[in-house]
Structure formats: structure tokens, C-alpha cells
Amino acid sequence: MNKKNLISITDFSKEEYLKIMELSRYFEENPNQSLLKGKVIATLFFEPSTRTRLSFETAISRLGGKIIGFSDSNSSSVSKGETLHDTIKMVSNYADLIIMRHPLEGSARYAAEVSDVPVINAGDGANQHPSQTLLDLYSIMKTQGKLDNINLFLVGDLKYGRTVHSLLMAMSQFENPIFNFVAPPELAMPDEYKLFLRQKGIRYFEHLEFNDIINQADIIYMTRVQKERFIDPVEYEKVKNVYILKNEMLAQTKPNMRILHPLPRINEIHTNVDSNPKAYYFTQALNGVYTRMAIISHLLNLK
Ligand code: CP
């Protein structure tokens, strides 16, 4: 069967990113559809989620489709020892599309190889989270009016944060991005991504602090320190509060600067930022519904 998956953000071309932006805008303006009438979509979450699962399920409902799946793999036969291979093989008999989150890097690519129907990676370990990236692009496009010439600050856990890896790859497709990586050495952007940028001739800078340069940012993308990826809890304790963005730090930022965060946050954005018009993270999460409607429509070629 000729099927298209979304496993890595690089599975889509720049033209497809732009098509998703256009479709997202359409679905934001026309959210109630029947394009998925008669179709069944499976959401298989082997790891916890609030936004990704619920916004995908909202997107499916808004498109008129039906949902099967689980939000806790302990309630499935995985708890009896069923393999990922067999789970995916079975579910691809039942559903027209599979959306999966799994803790193992590479699991989504493996699922796509096994499945007879398209697979969307809803996060595989510290690797990729491409649907998050597309909603991040949509959020940047909506707030900045463009995706070219963006000065993007990525702050926090750049080692384990899969959303920043996917976002870096996507933004590198646009004209003249500048990346500012703000992280302690333990959580620095992995070398493979820095090598990728160097090979493309894209500028990036690494910082331990960002108070003095925050006025350069178009987008500040805060991230949570990913406690669940640390092998040693003592190492997590050392870095868990490394950056806390506070309202008083925003006084000199550009008028159109916006703060994004894939959420959930722990305490890396103080709640006193929430009422600042530059705080965009809750609207960003809402944008996920429209972008996920667009992704599903694109993969299933819904007219
Ligand atoms: N942004 C994101 O992936 O959030 P959830 O873990 O709640 O799905």
C-alpha cells in the first residue's frame, strides 16, 4: 500500500510545511468538518500526554472521525507481554491511521514499517515530535507573519527535549534563521544538530545565560527539563531549576516577541508571565488542534 507517514519532521518538504500552515488556517476558520466520516483513527499512547493526545482526539472529532486506542498501555495486552510489532499489526487492521507515542527512540519508524496504514509519531523518546513542530511553525507564522529571518532562542533542556530537535530541523528550511541555544553544558544541544547547522551554513550561538541578549529574540522557546530521561536523579536535581523566565526579564524584549513552550511547564516560566501579552504558550497548544486536523487531512489525502 502506498502510504505517507509523519515520523520525522524531515519526512515533509518545505512545500508540505507551507501546505500544512495553509490548511491549519483553513481549519481554524472552519473547525467543524465531516472529512473523516466513516474513518477510524487509533491513538496509542505508551507514555503520558495531555495536549498531544487530547488535541489529536479533538482534531479527529472535529473532522467527524471515530477514535480507538489507549492512553495507558497497562490497560492493553502490552501488559501481558505483547510486542510492539504485534500491537501495531493488529491495530492497523482496525484503523485507517495510527497515532503513537512511545518512550523508545526509533519505535515510531519501526511501527511505520510494520503498519499497513499511515503512522504519525506523537513523540518517540528524546528523538522527534514532528506534529508539535508543525504547530510550533504555525504559531511562529501567526505571531511573526513569516518563517524567514527569525531569531529563535531555544532555552533549557536541549539535550533530551525532542521538540527543539524537530523545530531546529524545520526552521533550517527557511531563509536566514539564527539559533541561540541557552543551556547548561549537561543539557547542551547534541553535536549532531550543531553539525547539521554548520553543514548548511546556518548561524548558531551557545550561551549559559540569556538576560543580556534577550532583547534580540523574536521567539523565546522555553522547555521543561525532562526528568523522565535522566538515569541519575542527582543529575536532574542539579539542573532542574536552571532557567526560570520571569515577567521582569521581558521589559526590554521586542514588542512582537512571543514566548512559546510545548508544555507541560514545571517552573521554567513563572506564572507572573502568563498575563503578559507576549506569553503565547496556551494559544500555541490550541493551535495544535488545527495543525493536527491539517496533518491528518494531508496524510489521508482528504478532500
Ligand atoms: N507538548 C506535548 O507534547 O505535551 P503533552 O506531553 O501533554 O502531550
Side-chain angles (χ1 to χ4, degrees), residues 96-224:
D96 298 288
L97 171 76
I98 295 173
I99 298 161
M100 185 181 86
R101 172 172 287 187
H102 197 283
L104 286 182
E105 293 180 27
S107 53
R109 183 70 67 195
Y110 177 70
E113 285 165 14
V114 171
S115 173
D116 298 321
V117 298
V119 174
I120 298 176
N121 178 9
D124 61 331
N127 189 29
Q128 289 258 334
H129 193 354
S131 67
Q132 176 71 46
T133 300
L134 290 163
L135 80 87
D136 293 343
L137 291 186
Y138 185 52
S139 300
I140 295 171
M141 177 77 111
K142 272 178 72 178
T143 60
Q144 306 299 309
K146 60 179 185 175
L147 290 167
D148 296 323
N149 301 302
I150 300 292
N151 191 330
L152 185 59
F153 279 49
L154 303 178
V155 182
D157 187 348
L158 309 187
K159 179 178 179 184
Y160 298 116
R162 56 194 171 199
T163 65
V164 290
H165 302 159
S166 298
L167 184 58
L168 177 151
M169 303 293 280
M171 286 300 288
S172 72
Q173 297 296 311
F174 295 91
E175 293 298 314
N176 197 31
I178 302 176
F179 291 98
N180 283 282
F181 301 144
V182 184
E186 301 92 319
L187 299 177
M189 182 62 76
D191 286 341
E192 68 203 82
Y193 294 102
K194 292 188 277 188
L195 177 64
F196 169 81
L197 293 179
R198 285 201 297 278
Q199 285 173 340
K200 287 184 72 95
I202 294 174
R203 286 172 293 170
Y204 71 85
F205 304 93
E206 294 187 280
H207 314 276
L208 296 176
E209 297 294 338
F210 65 121
N211 267 357
D212 293 345
I213 51 169
I214 197 169
N215 59 351
Q216 298 170 17
D218 295 312
I219 295 288
I220 299 176
Y221 193 98
M222 298 297 295
T223 62
R224 174 179 67 90

Side-chain angles (χ1 to χ4, degrees), residues 45 48-53 101 129 132 162-163 262-264:
F45 278 70
S49 166
T50 297
R51 275 145 296 274
T52 309
R53 185 174 67 82
R101 172 172 287 187
H129 193 354
Q132 176 71 46
R162 56 194 171 199
T163 65
L263 304 177

Side-chain angles (χ1 to χ4, degrees), residues 3 5 16 23 27 29 34 84 88-89 100 106 112 116 127 133 168 170 181 202 225 243 249 256 260 265 274 279 287:
K3 65 186 175 79
N5 307 295
E16 285 176 300
L23 275 174
F27 286 127
E29 288 165 2
S34 53
L84 181 61
I88 296 297
K89 202 74 198 154
M100 185 181 86
D116 298 321
N127 189 29
T133 300
L168 177 151
F181 301 144
I202 294 174
V225 178
Y243 304 112
M249 295 165 66
N256 200 36
L260 304 187
R265 78 171 146 188
D274 293 357
N287 290 339

Side-chain angles (χ1 to χ4, degrees), residues 11 19-20 27 29 31 42 140 170 261 269:
D11 291 344
K19 180 180 173 192
I20 296 292
F27 286 127
E29 288 165 2
I140 295 171
H261 189 313
I269 301 179

